[in-house]
Amino acid sequence: MKKRVVVTGLGAVTPIGNSVDEFWANLLAGKSGIGYITKFDTSNHSVRIAAEVKNFNAEEHFERKELKKIDDFCRYGVVAARQAFADSGLNLEKVSPLQVGCIIGCGMGGVTTIEEQHAILLSRGPSRVTPFLIPKMIPNMSSGLISIYLGIKGPNTTIVTACASATHAIGEAYRTIQRGDAVAIVTGGTEATISPLSIAGFSNMGALSQQNDNPQKASRPFDAKRDGFVMGEGAGIIVLEDLEHALARDAKIYAEIVGYGLSGDAYHMTAPSPGGEGGARAMKMAIDTAGIAPTDVQHINAHGTSTPLNDKLETEAIKTVFGDHAYKIAITANKSMIGHLIGAAGAVEAIATIKAVQENKVPPTINYENPDPECDLDYTPNVAREMEVVYALNNSLGFGGHNCTVCFRKFEQ
């Protein structure tokens, strides 16, 4: 018999707050974390806006000698993981470290480190490239360092599926506990890709919003005047745990994870498949594995990137799966406030989904001002909503045709 899996810990480092409480309060308030880029000179860039993490002092969390070895994406991940682990109340003196795993999503890894060290290579020669280049840049160092700092030795891996990375990580952590390979797993995603090369690359492929004059209005999922996503950064980490183990230690339980679906488009490197059929299959699989009917779902945290194609096709996918019930579902797009955190997006959005289930509150999609006839569902426009949320889905759709959905349920013993 498959084990039941619950959420017992949450941690977040985001553009609108460096704790779960701050992030959640600002999300409900509709606060935007998007502004002008401060990390580098954008005078030669066509895109000058992003959703940066703010008020994050790495020296408060790491010794100075450690900082030379760790890229921002790992710093964010470790800090969020420490929050989540502390929140869970897990004690490695009472549970074997061999039974606690770490599965993290990361789409791009240490992009800033690569850029900095490549510049040094060109200007000063190969002998001056840091010996920490490789461990600072490889995406799997996110799960490696989290496990090192927490002291957990169970199943350990990193998922790299672009914008779906964190949601895949959560889903695979769920399955790992279900089959009994761990009693708890620290999972989620982390990313730090606000860099000259990343912004130029995403901009030149036409993915980013060009609305530099009004940064806080630039990310507008499902709005008729959307023109691209806004780059974000940060980390979201959750602790998943075997229900029996959680109950035995009287753990706080936020929600239960009950479904997981994933699919591939096999269509295009960056564009979703026609009609969003791949995303529809992922949602249907998550619902089916949860053992519920489509009409049982009250809330969807959409991928909602603010790109013309994604929002239209995700809307079509939701209609395919839910039929007439699609119009009764409260949908939200957190990227309207926090931008697109790439490999961390699904995890931060999973935390919002879990909190919606726990508190019966759905965050708004801000900047929804111009209805799009092709995006005609209920996107919880501009103002948060109090409503009963028993079942909720979290969608993530990644370049390469990677689609992933997880389903959370209000916990009942």
Side-chain angles (χ1 to χ4, degrees), residues 25 35 56 61 66 101 112 141 217 245 256 292 331 338 381 404 411:
F56 182 88
H61 305 284
E66 294 177 278
T112 300
M141 201 53 66
K217 292 282 190 178
H245 188 269
E256 183 173 3
I292 62 175
I331 300 165
I338 62 173
C404 188
F411 175 67

mmCIF file of all heavy atoms in Angstrom, residues 25 35 56 61 66 101 112 141 217 245 256 292 331 338 381 404 411:
data_model
loop_
_atom_site.group_PDB
_atom_site.id
_atom_site.type_symbol
_atom_site.label_atom_id
_atom_site.label_comp_id
_atom_site.label_asym_id
_atom_site.label_seq_id
_atom_site.Cartn_x
_atom_site.Cartn_y
_atom_site.Cartn_z
ATOM 1 N N ALA A 25 2.058 37.078 3.012
ATOM 2 C CA ALA A 25 1.331 38.322 3.300
ATOM 3 C C ALA A 25 1.383 39.264 2.104
ATOM 4 O O ALA A 25 0.364 39.877 1.728
ATOM 5 C CB ALA A 25 1.910 38.998 4.540
ATOM 6 N N GLY A 35 11.167 45.443 -10.276
ATOM 7 C CA GLY A 35 11.726 46.794 -10.357
ATOM 8 C C GLY A 35 12.880 46.830 -11.340
ATOM 9 O O GLY A 35 13.108 45.873 -12.091
ATOM 10 N N PHE A 56 18.723 40.634 1.225
ATOM 11 C CA PHE A 56 19.322 39.335 1.521
ATOM 12 C C PHE A 56 20.815 39.537 1.740
ATOM 13 O O PHE A 56 21.546 39.867 0.809
ATOM 14 C CB PHE A 56 19.089 38.357 0.364
ATOM 15 C CG PHE A 56 19.646 36.971 0.601
ATOM 16 C CD1 PHE A 56 18.880 36.007 1.239
ATOM 17 C CD2 PHE A 56 20.926 36.640 0.179
ATOM 18 C CE1 PHE A 56 19.378 34.728 1.462
ATOM 19 C CE2 PHE A 56 21.435 35.362 0.393
ATOM 20 C CZ PHE A 56 20.668 34.408 1.040
ATOM 21 N N HIS A 61 24.252 34.450 6.905
ATOM 22 C CA HIS A 61 23.920 33.030 6.837
ATOM 23 C C HIS A 61 25.123 32.118 6.619
ATOM 24 O O HIS A 61 25.031 30.913 6.846
ATOM 25 C CB HIS A 61 22.919 32.795 5.705
ATOM 26 C CG HIS A 61 21.686 33.634 5.807
ATOM 27 N ND1 HIS A 61 20.673 33.363 6.694
ATOM 28 C CD2 HIS A 61 21.306 34.757 5.134
ATOM 29 C CE1 HIS A 61 19.712 34.271 6.561
ATOM 30 N NE2 HIS A 61 20.077 35.128 5.635
ATOM 31 N N GLU A 66 33.210 30.712 3.212
ATOM 32 C CA GLU A 66 32.283 29.836 2.489
ATOM 33 C C GLU A 66 31.694 30.540 1.271
ATOM 34 O O GLU A 66 31.425 29.906 0.243
ATOM 35 C CB GLU A 66 31.148 29.390 3.406
ATOM 36 C CG GLU A 66 31.545 28.505 4.554
ATOM 37 C CD GLU A 66 30.344 28.185 5.430
ATOM 38 O OE1 GLU A 66 30.004 29.031 6.282
ATOM 39 O OE2 GLU A 66 29.746 27.114 5.239
ATOM 40 N N GLY A 101 15.845 12.597 2.734
ATOM 41 C CA GLY A 101 16.468 12.859 1.443
ATOM 42 C C GLY A 101 16.399 14.315 1.031
ATOM 43 O O GLY A 101 15.892 15.183 1.761
ATOM 44 N N THR A 112 25.747 33.360 -13.214
ATOM 45 C CA THR A 112 26.568 34.529 -12.903
ATOM 46 C C THR A 112 28.030 34.138 -12.725
ATOM 47 O O THR A 112 28.939 34.825 -13.200
ATOM 48 C CB THR A 112 26.046 35.216 -11.628
ATOM 49 O OG1 THR A 112 24.686 35.635 -11.847
ATOM 50 C CG2 THR A 112 26.884 36.426 -11.289
ATOM 51 N N MET A 141 24.673 21.113 -7.387
ATOM 52 C CA MET A 141 25.230 21.548 -6.109
ATOM 53 C C MET A 141 24.147 22.093 -5.190
ATOM 54 O O MET A 141 24.344 22.199 -3.976
ATOM 55 C CB MET A 141 26.321 22.597 -6.343
ATOM 56 C CG MET A 141 27.277 22.740 -5.168
ATOM 57 S SD MET A 141 28.030 21.184 -4.608
ATOM 58 C CE MET A 141 29.039 20.775 -6.044
ATOM 59 N N LYS A 217 4.020 46.931 -13.484
ATOM 60 C CA LYS A 217 2.886 46.573 -14.344
ATOM 61 C C LYS A 217 3.300 45.638 -15.488
ATOM 62 O O LYS A 217 2.457 45.224 -16.287
ATOM 63 C CB LYS A 217 2.274 47.839 -14.949
ATOM 64 C CG LYS A 217 1.578 48.745 -13.946
ATOM 65 C CD LYS A 217 0.206 48.213 -13.588
ATOM 66 C CE LYS A 217 -0.586 49.225 -12.773
ATOM 67 N NZ LYS A 217 -1.957 48.726 -12.447
ATOM 68 N N HIS A 245 4.897 8.861 10.008
ATOM 69 C CA HIS A 245 6.048 9.408 10.715
ATOM 70 C C HIS A 245 5.725 10.783 11.284
ATOM 71 O O HIS A 245 6.088 11.111 12.422
ATOM 72 C CB HIS A 245 7.241 9.478 9.754
ATOM 73 C CG HIS A 245 8.529 9.836 10.411
ATOM 74 N ND1 HIS A 245 8.968 11.139 10.531
ATOM 75 C CD2 HIS A 245 9.478 9.068 11.002
ATOM 76 C CE1 HIS A 245 10.136 11.151 11.155
ATOM 77 N NE2 HIS A 245 10.467 9.905 11.453
ATOM 78 N N GLU A 256 -1.785 17.882 2.467
ATOM 79 C CA GLU A 256 -1.369 16.570 1.960
ATOM 80 C C GLU A 256 -1.157 16.673 0.458
ATOM 81 O O GLU A 256 -1.914 17.351 -0.240
ATOM 82 C CB GLU A 256 -2.440 15.518 2.264
ATOM 83 C CG GLU A 256 -2.066 14.104 1.830
ATOM 84 C CD GLU A 256 -3.062 13.047 2.287
ATOM 85 O OE1 GLU A 256 -4.080 13.427 2.902
ATOM 86 O OE2 GLU A 256 -2.829 11.857 2.016
ATOM 87 N N ILE A 292 -9.618 11.713 -7.714
ATOM 88 C CA ILE A 292 -10.725 12.657 -7.585
ATOM 89 C C ILE A 292 -11.296 12.978 -8.962
ATOM 90 O O ILE A 292 -10.704 12.650 -9.994
ATOM 91 C CB ILE A 292 -10.282 13.954 -6.886
ATOM 92 C CG1 ILE A 292 -9.195 14.674 -7.703
ATOM 93 C CG2 ILE A 292 -9.799 13.659 -5.475
ATOM 94 C CD1 ILE A 292 -8.792 16.032 -7.150
ATOM 95 N N ILE A 331 -8.353 30.673 -10.388
ATOM 96 C CA ILE A 331 -6.997 30.514 -10.909
ATOM 97 C C ILE A 331 -6.165 31.719 -10.473
ATOM 98 O O ILE A 331 -6.684 32.838 -10.401
ATOM 99 C CB ILE A 331 -7.031 30.415 -12.450
ATOM 100 C CG1 ILE A 331 -7.873 29.210 -12.876
ATOM 101 C CG2 ILE A 331 -5.623 30.323 -13.037
ATOM 102 C CD1 ILE A 331 -8.260 29.217 -14.346
ATOM 103 N N ILE A 338 5.943 38.130 -8.558
ATOM 104 C CA ILE A 338 7.317 37.693 -8.265
ATOM 105 C C ILE A 338 8.137 37.432 -9.515
ATOM 106 O O ILE A 338 9.315 37.080 -9.427
ATOM 107 C CB ILE A 338 7.331 36.430 -7.377
ATOM 108 C CG1 ILE A 338 6.652 35.247 -8.088
ATOM 109 C CG2 ILE A 338 6.674 36.720 -6.035
ATOM 110 C CD1 ILE A 338 6.770 33.927 -7.346
ATOM 111 N N PRO A 381 -8.825 38.236 -10.374
ATOM 112 C CA PRO A 381 -8.197 39.499 -10.780
ATOM 113 C C PRO A 381 -7.993 40.495 -9.643
ATOM 114 O O PRO A 381 -8.941 40.858 -8.951
ATOM 115 C CB PRO A 381 -9.167 40.045 -11.838
ATOM 116 C CG PRO A 381 -10.467 39.371 -11.563
ATOM 117 C CD PRO A 381 -10.132 38.032 -11.007
ATOM 118 N N CYS A 404 4.241 19.569 -15.887
ATOM 119 C CA CYS A 404 4.160 18.929 -14.576
ATOM 120 C C CYS A 404 3.068 19.576 -13.737
ATOM 121 O O CYS A 404 2.908 20.795 -13.752
ATOM 122 C CB CYS A 404 5.511 19.051 -13.874
ATOM 123 S SG CYS A 404 5.631 18.118 -12.353
ATOM 124 N N PHE A 411 -5.604 18.752 4.663
ATOM 125 C CA PHE A 411 -5.306 17.535 5.428
ATOM 126 C C PHE A 411 -6.466 17.145 6.335
ATOM 127 O O PHE A 411 -7.006 17.960 7.072
ATOM 128 C CB PHE A 411 -4.048 17.719 6.274
ATOM 129 C CG PHE A 411 -3.783 16.548 7.163
ATOM 130 C CD1 PHE A 411 -3.435 15.321 6.626
ATOM 131 C CD2 PHE A 411 -3.930 16.662 8.547
ATOM 132 C CE1 PHE A 411 -3.212 14.216 7.444
ATOM 133 C CE2 PHE A 411 -3.710 15.564 9.373
ATOM 134 C CZ PHE A 411 -3.349 14.339 8.822
#
